[in-house]
Amino acid sequence: MADEISYDLLYEKFQQRIEGLKRETPINEETPLEDVLKKEGFSRRDFMKWAGAVTAMLTLPSNFTPLIADAIKVVDRLPIIWLHMAECTGCSEALLRSANPTIDSLIFDHISLEYHETLMAAVGWQAEENLEHAMEKYKGKYVLMVEGGIPTADDGVYLTVGGHGKKGKDIAKDASEHAAAIFAIGTCSAYGGVQAAIPNPTGAVALSKITEKPIINVPGCPPSESNIVGTLMYFLLYGNLPALDVYDRPKWAYRLRIHDLCERRGHFDAGEFVEQFGDEAAKDGFCLYKVGCKGPYTFNNCSKNKFNEGTSWPVQVGFGCMGCSEPDFWDAMGTVNEPLKDRLYNTTFSGLGADATADKIGIGLLSVTAVGIAAHAAISAIKPPKE
Ligand code: FSX
Ligand code: SF4
Ligand code: F3S
């Protein structure tokens, strides 16, 4: 009953928020989203299916689906500034460069991207001016999305942007100052990423080390398009920040371990492991733990949401999870093709172990899991490999 009452209130709150946004002038005055989707061949049914999936993803009851469908139509009232720091642009690619556009990518194309270095037409001084104008015009209203780690060694000289040679760390700090919400998109921005891996020559750090402002981390190398759009939808609906775990990741997306929802989990529990890539067990789709899967240590929803238009995800194609949404995974997750075995994963970014769990369930619980995995692996090691 208590839940029903709170959902009623939430429904009302969302309605008010959407009505409020409707009263604002759309920044993107071009084609309405419905027409964009229709032109790309998406039916009303496809759209409602998408809205239903987002509703479920945000762990809202299914009667919220029409509201989500309504909300997305006002997404172009949110000005977005997207900054590139040190990275591979995989986060932008993940979202925008699928072979056929998805509803997620079309939405992202449609929203008002006031500044995005790899997408905007402007170049040189004009681009720099665009950023300054957008920050001024939408002061306190824009959503800032930052992709990439931020070099700080030698006062940040390893990342400068534009003709004035402004340092990445200063651009990110300035843009953070008057943002309505800040998303660190990808593991690089959330935790430093590949350029922060030992020996980290450029002194790359997470966005959270550059600004005091609250940040929502959307890690993954890259994160899925649905986690990026879902985080945006959350902000659109609630108008505030989602509940976050100890690493500032939204709990609705990063609450569970890869291992908890993995389609190969039954094989793990049965002690059926791939011993080497290409063996019979690999063909049978057995568990990838012994060839390096870090799913037991990694919090993300990849098995549910998948990548590339929901086609697949690492474990499905036969390669273990690398732990790409965990802090310092390049260094802390060991060798890619080898299991961590009984090594506890407890020396990471900010001194917390991933094993502290999304909700601080406690080191103890994971220690038991980790020991369980080691024992499990040892037991299966003495079993003859499956023919
Ligand atoms: Fe690349 Fe983004 Fe990895 Fe980093 O994704 S996919 S290196 S998280 O910042 O571009
Ligand atoms: Fe899936 Fe990896 Fe866990 Fe095996 S170890 S069940 S492949 S997540
Ligand atoms: Fe990354 Fe593991 Fe998902 S490597 S993409 S968190 S399956």
Side-chain angles (χ1 to χ4, degrees):
M1 194 60 175
D3 273 357
E4 276 171 36
I5 291 165
S6 64
Y7 278 127
D8 283 349
L9 286 176
L10 197 59
Y11 200 94
E12 243 174 67
K13 186 184 152 177
F14 287 177
Q15 271 179 324
Q16 281 167 10
R17 169 113 173 120
I18 295 166
E19 286 311 314
L21 285 166
K22 271 184 189 163
R23 283 193 290 276
E24 290 188 24
T25 327
I27 299 164
N28 180 354
E29 299 247 34
E30 293 158 15
T31 327
L33 181 62
E34 283 150 305
D35 295 354
V36 174
L37 294 176
K38 207 190 269 172
K39 194 171 149 257
E40 292 292 339
F42 290 102
S43 64
R44 167 100 190 135
R45 196 160 167 267
D46 296 328
F47 178 58
M48 290 314 287
K49 211 170 135 196
W50 174 88
V54 173
T55 308
M57 191 168 82
L58 295 176
T59 62
L60 292 167
S62 57
N63 64 321
F64 277 59
T65 303
L67 207 56
I68 302 281
D70 216 19
I72 198 62
K73 292 175 196 155
V74 291
V75 74
D76 59 356
R77 271 69 165 179
L78 285 185
I80 311 270
I81 292 177
W82 181 297
L83 298 178
H84 282 284
M85 296 286 130
E87 32 76 15
C88 77
T89 308
C91 305
S92 294
E93 292 281 337
L95 192 57
L96 294 164
R97 295 291 175 260
S98 47
N100 303 306
T102 58
I103 294 187
D104 284 324
S105 63
L106 288 174
I107 286 167
F108 211 76
D109 259 349
H110 178 76
I111 57 177
S112 183
L113 267 177
E114 292 303 303
Y115 183 86
H116 188 300
E117 280 151 18
T118 47
L119 295 179
M120 64 192 180
V123 290
W125 61 266
Q126 207 184 0
E128 280 182 80
E129 236 176 41
N130 280 3
L131 177 59
E132 280 158 28
H133 284 166
M135 279 165 53
E136 193 49 44
K137 185 167 174 197
Y138 302 110
K139 204 170 183 175
K141 287 188 173 175
Y142 59 86
V143 175
L144 175 68
M145 298 194 175
V146 179
E147 177 177 358
I150 304 175
T152 58
D154 298 324
D155 198 28
V157 292
Y158 302 111
L159 175 63
T160 61
V161 182
H164 296 112
K166 197 165 173 190
K167 288 167 185 161
K169 71 180 178 66
D170 297 331
I171 299 173
K173 189 170 172 50
D174 291 352
S176 300
E177 213 48 47
H178 300 290
I182 308 174
F183 303 164
I185 301 288
T187 296
C188 299
S189 180
Y191 309 124
V194 64
Q195 46 282 310
I198 296 167
N200 190 1
T202 65
V205 297
L207 179 62
S208 58
K209 305 279 184 207
I210 294 290
T211 172
E212 303 278 302
K213 301 276 171 183
I215 289 171
I216 307 167
N217 287 333
V218 188
C221 189
S224 64
E225 55 192 24
S226 50
N227 280 357
I228 301 174
V229 172
T231 306
L232 186 65
M233 283 303 292
Y234 187 103
F235 180 71
L236 184 75
L237 287 164
Y238 287 83
N240 56 24
L241 308 187
L244 303 174
D245 74 4
V246 289
Y247 294 123
D248 294 331
R249 300 175 286 204
K251 284 189 190 172
W252 61 262
Y254 299 88
R255 191 169 48 93
L256 295 172
R257 291 183 189 89
I258 293 290
H259 190 59
D260 296 331
L261 298 176
C262 179
E263 63 229 27
R264 299 187 187 222
R265 177 61 187 264
H267 293 298
F268 177 92
D269 292 341
E272 295 171 334
F273 296 98
V274 173
E275 301 292 330
Q276 58 182 43
F277 292 111
D279 67 7
E280 280 304 311
K283 289 177 196 154
D284 287 341
F286 285 4
C287 170
L288 299 162
Y289 177 75
K290 289 167 84 176
V291 285
C293 180
K294 307 301 187 302
Y297 312 95
T298 306
F299 292 84
N300 207 339
N301 55 6
C302 309
S303 66
K304 272 205 297 184
N305 291 355
K306 304 189 177 178
F307 289 79
N308 299 338
E309 303 155 58
T311 310
S312 192
W313 68 293
V315 168
Q316 186 177 336
V317 297
F319 197 84
C321 167
M322 291 167 66
C324 82
S325 52
E326 292 304 314
D328 290 348
F329 82 99
W330 293 105
D331 295 325
M333 287 290 181
T335 307
V336 169
N337 292 349
E338 288 174 14
L340 286 176
K341 294 193 178 127
D342 56 350
R343 205 191 93 195
L344 281 181
Y345 177 42
N346 59 6
T347 46
T348 62
F349 185 81
S350 72
L352 285 164
D355 301 358
T357 81
D359 255 337
K360 291 194 183 178
I361 294 167
I363 295 283
L365 181 65
L366 215 294
S367 304
V368 172
T369 314
V371 170
I373 290 164
H376 210 138
I379 290 163
S380 71
I382 51 169
K383 278 188 179 177
K386 195 177 150 70
E387 282 300 303

